[in-house]
Amino acid sequence: MNNTYCLEKGSSLFRYDLIEPPTEWSSTHRNIEYTESVYGDKNAMSAFFFFNSEYQATETAKCAIKKVVDIQNPSIWITRCCPLEDMNLLDLRQFCTIIDLLSYLIEDGYNILSSQYKSFFNEGISFDRLKKMYLEIHDKIRGNALYYQDTQLMAEIIPISEQVEKFLNIDLRMPGQFIQLITDYSNGVYFIGELKSKGYEGIIFNETIWGHQGSDTICIFSASKLSSPKHYMI
């Protein structure tokens, strides 16, 4: 499976801030909605997250500002930029479930089911406790891409899948939410290291149910190939 995506030079990228962002790219700048957590820095890997839709960036900001309006004096800022040259991204948009995504990541050599990765949606429990559940499902599927059409097999898989869903505290139909989880806090530091070792400069994924709706999310590891940011307030 070829999961490499070329983010072409000149592609428009958009992100939002709830305070005025710096005039140049900064790996230490943080959005105020993510500044406080018992798990530390949500963007510990210091990556840059974008949408490929100006509309999506704006609408997401309008929802986000409601969460902090009583804490700070926020305003909505939209930043636009583009890659100065082609960039090599890992494309994770084609997976319909977290189980399918996990299978790909594990089979491609990512050390996801280890004690260093944590389920931050479930009190920081380490992913190594997910391994037994995953292997039970994997052994039943055994490379059968159409397993979901097998009624008897699904009857065996669903109870285990429900355990996985409870463990992660994420809807299994939203693989993009799992990707968000493995880029958050300390997870992101480990994941970015694995991705860089494979030659990737970022990832592209979709955070909606089934992963096939709306704008995509693009995570860039370094701003070195990005144009200078252009900001405006709405």
Side-chain angles (χ1 to χ4, degrees), residues 42-79:
K42 181 175 172 67
N43 188 15
M45 66 182 191
S46 295
F48 300 87
F49 288 84
F50 301 93
F51 296 107
N52 52 10
S53 160
E54 185 175 16
Y55 173 81
Q56 187 67 59
T58 302
E59 292 305 302
T60 304
K62 289 178 181 178
C63 293
I65 200 169
K66 297 175 184 177
K67 303 175 186 177
V68 298
V69 69
D70 295 330
I71 305 172
Q72 312 245 2
N73 184 28
S75 54
I76 295 177
W77 291 79
I78 302 297
T79 298

Side-chain angles (χ1 to χ4, degrees), residues 167-215:
F167 176 91
L168 293 173
N169 199 20
I170 307 174
D171 188 326
L172 291 184
R173 300 170 299 168
M174 300 186 71
Q177 291 295 304
F178 181 77
I179 297 166
Q180 190 69 55
L181 173 60
I182 59 177
T183 58
D184 280 348
Y185 306 108
S186 58
N187 286 348
V189 176
Y190 296 117
F191 194 44
I192 196 175
E194 296 196 68
L195 290 160
K196 284 182 175 179
S197 72
K198 295 177 180 291
Y200 293 112
E201 299 171 280
I203 56 177
I204 181 169
F205 59 102
N206 190 292
E207 299 184 62
T208 60
I209 288 181
W210 304 124
H212 299 301
Q213 304 173 45
S215 170

Side-chain angles (χ1 to χ4, degrees), residues 87-148:
M87 300 185 71
N88 188 40
L89 309 186
L90 175 63
D91 190 346
L92 297 174
R93 293 175 296 178
Q94 67 271 50
F95 302 103
C96 292
T97 71
I98 291 175
I99 299 299
D100 296 333
L101 172 61
L102 264 176
S103 294
Y104 166 75
L105 291 172
I106 292 166
E107 290 172 10
D108 208 43
Y110 293 90
N111 192 31
I112 296 295
L113 298 183
S114 66
S115 59
Q116 61 191 15
Y117 285 93
K118 312 291 183 184
S119 180
F120 294 115
F121 299 146
N122 188 11
E123 301 181 345
I125 300 173
S126 63
F127 276 15
D128 56 350
R129 293 173 60 178
L130 184 63
K131 190 171 185 177
K132 181 176 181 295
M133 289 179 272
Y134 166 75
L135 289 176
E136 284 186 55
I137 295 174
H138 185 268
D139 287 346
K140 292 180 182 298
I141 295 173
R142 292 191 177 278
N144 179 6
L146 299 178
Y147 67 89
Y148 53 88

